Amino acid sequence: MSPTPAKPGGTRIPSRRTVLRGAFTAAVVTGTAGALFPLLDRDPVATARPAPAPGPGSGSRATAEEFAEMYRGREIRGTATVVPAGAPADDRVAVAAEPVTEIRIDGRPLHVMRRADGTYLSDVRHYESYPTLLETARAAVDELGTARLAPPAAHHM
């Protein structure tokens, strides 16, 4: 019994295992390329944009985004401030500026996280990210409906 049958003329037909292995490899490569394409397709000038520098009289912080508005009957306020980096620990390592974010809905804090791509997500809408804090706050209000945010948990030690 021959492992791979021969076609007329002496050429071999690939085995089922070889064909499936090739199809699986092609599918993995295509899926990986599709997943990485949005990351690799970014404009390098736009992603390398530095954080805003502190203006005169602003102390050590520069406000990147600030808002206060009534949205669907709820008061939302938010700020994103950039804290300038300190001096590097040594000549090789520089510490990047870190944004500090805060959103309050009807006076109660909404936990917000900044993703590596610069978008934001919240505890209320943690499966979707938004380009600005304002859009993050509005999405949280939409999701909450008439419910209120829980007060911050007290830390017991």
Side-chain angles (χ1 to χ4, degrees), residues 10-147:
T11 59
R12 299 182 122 190
I13 300 172
S15 70
R16 179 174 180 252
R17 178 177 287 167
T18 304
V19 171
L20 289 176
R21 186 180 297 147
F24 176 75
T25 302
V28 168
V29 169
T30 303
T32 303
L36 292 178
F37 181 74
L39 298 174
L40 300 175
D41 191 42
R42 287 190 188 157
D43 180 15
V45 175
T47 56
R49 188 177 310 134
S58 66
S60 63
R61 292 179 170 225
T63 300
E65 183 179 357
E66 186 172 353
F67 61 89
E69 71 174 28
M70 290 297 287
Y71 178 73
R72 296 192 174 197
R74 311 292 284 272
E75 178 190 18
I76 57 175
R77 294 181 177 270
T79 57
T81 54
V82 177
V83 178
D90 63 20
D91 292 338
R92 296 172 292 142
V93 180
V95 179
E98 181 66 31
V100 177
T101 59
E102 179 182 46
I103 293 179
R104 291 190 173 270
I105 299 175
D106 294 332
R108 293 188 174 182
L110 172 67
H111 182 69
V112 178
M113 296 161 280
R114 185 173 174 121
R115 298 184 50 173
D117 64 358
T119 60
Y120 299 94
L121 58 93
S122 70
D123 279 350
V124 175
R125 296 288 303 246
H126 59 273
Y127 291 114
E128 293 183 52
S129 58
Y130 301 91
T132 66
L133 279 178
L134 180 59
E135 290 180 45
T136 306
R138 287 177 177 171
V141 168
D142 291 341
E143 185 71 23
L144 284 170
T146 58

